[in-house]
Amino acid sequence: MVLRHIPIREAILGAAILVLLGVVSTRFSGFIAPANLANVFNDTAPLIILALGQMVVILTRCIDLSMAANLALTGMVVAMLNVAMPGLPIPVILAIAILLGAVMGAINGLLVWKLAIPPIVVTLGTMTIFRGIIFLISDGKWVNAHEMSAAFTGFSRASVLGLPVLSWFAVGTVIVFGVMMARTALGRSIFAVGGNPHAAVYTGINVGKTQFLAFVLSGALAGLTGYLWVARYAVAYVDIARGFELEVVAACVIGGISIAGGIGSVGGAVLGALFLGVVKNALPVVNISPFWQLAISGSAILIAVAFNARAGRTKGRIILKSTEGSV
């Protein structure tokens, strides 16, 4: 009975991940050991968090290409704050990171909402601006591990019930977004705006405001990940996570999030991120160049888009047949 409630996309992607794990384990059995799988999940945790933020934006027929730049700017700001004030409590640093990220997301949302500028144009512009700000405030210099406090770098690495805190943040984000998308008015509004914005207006939903809130959520998660990323790798610099926004979009598309908006799920976004995470960690194990990850990711995106397009056409034919039958 449980299997009947699993969408076909998620089932196929989950099976693909299991097959990939099985194939890799034939070359290196230790890859599927629980400890190693926990490490793979921890490596993928930032991608999972960002993919969920990107998911809500894409569902509203928008896209956020500034997520990685938001992450980098927030990471640099909190790293510099830690150097200036080593005793600043971690909860305060987390609050600053989330707030700063949300503000950058709000800037994107306001430009899309109030000025009706296409989201891809807005976020391409802010992506460049955010990177430029990093250079200005840091003067192009790095913040290295020896300059950061032990509490700052140790928080995301601390183990709780066998998993690092970074992994638990990913788990918590999945739970929160799962409840939000399924049980709240905001979640329903996000799907409605992406599915049919004109109809959403007639039901009393403010399309622009919903897209604005999606960008704020995306920005807040990027800000949170900015601190977790810098704390984990113990370094902050201008080019941190450059190009990572494309991997985030890839995770969403592979997970069945429709670029046309209105179609997708939290489970799909998580599975898309896990697929890329397994591929990234498995390639070195089987002696395949990491550069093949780009080709594999690109192929998976094309397959996912083709699957989505075919599913859309099939639904269209079903609706047409139903209409003809009723006539």
Side-chain angles (χ1 to χ4, degrees):
M1 291 295 293
V2 175
L3 291 176
R4 295 177 60 185
H5 297 286
I6 301 177
I8 185 67
R9 280 182 250 261
E10 281 84 339
I12 292 173
L13 188 53
I17 294 172
L18 291 176
V19 169
L20 182 59
L21 289 173
V23 170
V24 175
S25 68
T26 62
R27 298 285 297 273
F28 177 60
S29 59
F31 189 81
I32 58 173
N36 188 67
L37 291 179
N39 289 333
V40 171
F41 181 80
N42 195 54
D43 285 340
T44 313
L47 181 58
I48 292 173
I49 297 172
L50 293 177
L52 291 173
Q54 187 72 257
M55 176 197 72
V56 295
V57 174
I58 292 177
L59 284 175
T60 62
R61 298 193 174 191
C62 296
I63 193 166
D64 187 356
L65 297 179
S66 67
M67 290 193 82
N70 183 329
L71 178 161
L73 177 53
T74 304
M76 177 60 77
V77 169
V78 295
M80 293 177 70
L81 275 175
N82 178 248
V83 172
M85 295 179 284
L88 199 63
I90 298 301
V92 174
I93 291 175
L94 282 169
I96 291 172
I98 294 171
L99 180 60
L100 180 57
V103 168
M104 285 186 273
I107 293 171
N108 288 331
L110 284 172
L111 291 172
V112 171
W113 179 16
K114 296 300 184 181
L115 299 184
I117 305 174
I120 192 169
V121 176
V122 168
T123 55
L124 275 173
T126 53
M127 174 180 70
T128 306
I129 292 170
F130 296 159
R131 292 283 179 187
I133 293 174
I134 300 172
F135 187 85
L136 289 175
I137 64 175
S138 67
D139 199 26
K141 298 177 181 178
W142 292 33
V143 179
N144 294 302
H146 69 275
E147 301 175 86
M148 301 176 184
S149 69
F152 182 89
T153 57
F155 177 74
S156 66
R157 306 175 190 178
S159 181
V160 177
L161 298 178
L163 282 178
V165 169
L166 173 58
S167 294
W168 285 115
F169 268 100
V171 171
T173 304
V174 171
I175 294 172
V176 170
F177 271 66
V179 173
M180 182 190 77
M181 298 304 295
R183 304 288 183 180
T184 68
L186 176 58
R188 291 189 290 271
S189 296
I190 287 170
F191 278 113
V193 166
N196 191 328
H198 300 294
V201 171
Y202 287 113
T203 62
I205 296 173
N206 188 323
V207 173
K209 184 178 179 181
T210 302
Q211 292 174 332
F212 167 79
L213 292 174
F215 274 109
V216 171
L217 286 172
S218 172
L221 290 184
L224 169 64
T225 310
Y227 162 65
L228 296 174
W229 184 299
V230 168
R232 185 190 182 205
Y233 295 108
V235 65
Y237 55 97
V238 174
D239 287 331
I240 191 171
R242 184 177 289 276
F244 199 64
E245 63 276 348
L246 300 180
E247 195 168 338
V248 174
V249 173
C252 290
V253 175
I254 292 171
I257 314 299
S258 174
I259 293 297
I263 299 175
S265 68
V266 169
V270 172
L271 287 172
L274 286 174
F275 176 82
L276 292 179
V278 171
V279 168
K280 181 179 180 180
N281 283 272
L283 293 184
V285 172
V286 294
N287 295 322
I288 298 176
S289 170
F291 291 106
W292 277 102
Q293 181 190 353
L294 299 175
I296 294 172
S297 299
S299 300
I301 290 171
L302 291 176
I303 293 170
V305 170
F307 188 92
N308 290 343
R310 183 172 181 179
R313 286 196 299 269
T314 302
K315 288 180 180 179
R317 286 195 293 268
I318 292 173
I319 292 170
L320 183 58
K321 288 179 180 179
S322 300
T323 305
E324 289 174 348
S326 63
V327 173

